[in-house]
Amino acid sequence: MQTSEIISIVLCRTMNIPALNLDLLSVGIAVAASLILGSVVFFGNRKSATNKLFLFLTIVNSFWSVFNYLAYHVTNPLITLWIVRLVMFFAVLQAYSFLLLMYTFPKQSFQMPRKMFAAISGLVLVVLVLTLTPYIFSGVEIRLGEVPRPIQAPGIIVFGLVAVSSVVGGIVILARRLFKTSGKERRKFLYLLLGLIIMFLLIITFNFLLVVLFSNSSFIPLSALFTLPFVLFTSYAIVKHELLDIKIIGTEVLTFVIIVVAFVEVILSSTLGEVIFRSGVFIALLVFGVLLIRSVVREVKQREKLQDLTIKLKELDKQKNEFISMAAHELRAPMTAIKGYVSMVTQGDAGEISEKARGFLADANTINDRLIRLVNNMLNVSRIEEGRMVFQLETEELSHVVRAVYSQFIPEAERKGLDYSLKIPKHIRDKVSVDPDRIHEVIANIISNAIKYTDEGSVMVRLVQPNKEFVQFEVEDTGQGISKEEQEKLFQKFYRIETNVGKTTGTGLGLYISRLLVEKFNGKIGLESELGKGSTFWFEVPLAISIPKKN
Ligand code: ADP
């Protein structure tokens, strides 16, 4: 009785299952594992020549494993002869794909020079044809009660030479790369080498030493299993640096286990119907398993890509913010200087000027103010968002600031021919705790918008007392108005109403900054508006000392 049969019977007894064909099980495991790994590697990166060659090797390996198994289990002499020939056929392809893989690994593009590839392929083709002729196996020897044995012909020497030199060539290439590289790259070659060593150790021990020293050839049908270490380590080396993810490995292991179980079921089938049905299930599971692993690989890849992109985007965003801050900072100084000179010339420091020149200077001043506001908003955004803004809180009468900003816009409102007015009730309580410069910017943003987006009619600036704890600033205009949907988005960063983009200059930062600042001073900002009828923008801030309640 063969050793594998004894193992099989012992295993079955202990597991309490019907006799199980261990040879077939080993082939099934080897083929399933080989094909799954080959597909996973290939679909992980379809363009890579290394991955393509690896898939090719695993397919060839699977065919070789199946024919190798059949060679020891078929009793018909003619079929045996052809199966043995096919074993040799795929053995040549195996050696050939191994050589090409070693030459290319781990590169994405095919590495072998064309002429060399053509010469080797030509030679391999000749030997491939030869394996199917009587020059390698002339016939089979039939002994009673034994599996037919093939009779070798002289051509087997050619086969041996080509196969062995391809394998040796591959190993030499691998060894050379191993010495030439270092670090991470080297580790990849080491994995390959490790897989190869284990494979050869198994083959030498079971297919050679046992056969020659103890005349025990019972492990030869298990050969398919011996190639597994190489397939495993190579696929690991290929994917490790691309996709080492616990999710993928988990899916692979689970799929593999399910497929092996399905395969055991096929072997245990007692009727033909069962064999057909279970084989169908096995194949379906195999296909499904590969698809599942593929989709997990794809998902993990996408996740990694997203992570990379997020990091890149964050870096870009940081650089952009730094650039905006720097540019805004550099722009502000000269604009403030321009403002100073314009005001000096207007005030007559450079001698008398005509009314016309005064008008031009007023326009220049307005435009310059707008630029300063824009630059300030840009600077404020990054400062507030990064928490770098320092607030100089003071108790300030809001009416002072409002008056100052109001006056600043008189020329612009006049130029547009708007009815521009200010209304501050006499006894209004308006002492608030704010940073005067910042609240100045908020008020300027709101008034400037009202004038900018109103072509005719009026802009009314007011202070009101909504209750005893707050004072409210309001600007009512008769401009274009804002729809309900737009109102919700208005205080978001960079938001500008579609119809205004391109028509008026702006960044969509003014209201966003104003909201952040008002909220910093514990206030609220908002608006009432109707499309076509105008808008009222307002903000309220708490009074520094609330009005005492009357008894
Ligand atoms: P900017 O004015 O620089 O575009 P803002 O943040 O100050 O940015 O304003 C955002 C958008 O809100 C503007 O683009 C404009 O479309 C709209 N808007 C602001 N104020 C008014 C207003 N008084 N009337 C009509 N639309 C306005």
Side-chain angles (χ1 to χ4, degrees), residues 445 449-450 452-453 477 480-482 490 495-497 500 505-512 535 537:
N445 277 335
N449 276 349
K452 186 157 78 172
Y453 299 111
D477 66 49
Q480 57 196 39
I482 299 155
L490 224 51
Y495 189 78
R496 304 199 70 211
I497 294 174
N500 290 331
T505 52
T507 53
L509 279 177
L511 290 178
Y512 170 69
S535 329
F537 278 81

Side-chain angles (χ1 to χ4, degrees), residues 33-53:
S34 192
L35 287 179
I36 289 177
L37 288 170
S39 312
V40 169
V41 167
F42 174 67
F43 289 115
N45 182 2
R46 270 190 252 191
K47 287 189 194 121
S48 160
T50 296
N51 298 20
K52 282 183 200 163
L53 283 171

Side-chain angles (χ1 to χ4, degrees), residues 333-402:
M335 286 187 309
T336 319
I338 293 171
K339 190 173 169 62
Y341 287 124
V342 168
S343 118
M344 274 156 66
V345 176
T346 315
Q347 279 162 16
D349 289 5
E352 248 340 281
I353 54 165
S354 68
E355 254 334 285
K356 203 169 177 187
R358 200 178 292 278
F360 287 157
L361 284 175
D363 285 352
N365 197 38
T366 308
I367 295 164
N368 195 45
D369 276 349
R370 197 180 296 159
L371 281 176
I372 293 176
R373 239 184 345 270
L374 205 134
V375 167
N376 277 342
N377 282 337
M378 278 157 69
L379 272 175
N380 287 344
V381 168
S382 49
R383 282 195 198 142
I384 294 179
E385 284 181 347
E386 286 160 22
R388 284 190 289 115
M389 185 165 260
V390 187
F391 293 100
Q392 311 266 324
L393 289 188
E394 285 171 26
T395 306
E396 171 76 83
E397 285 175 17
L398 195 59
S399 53
H400 279 173
V401 191
V402 172

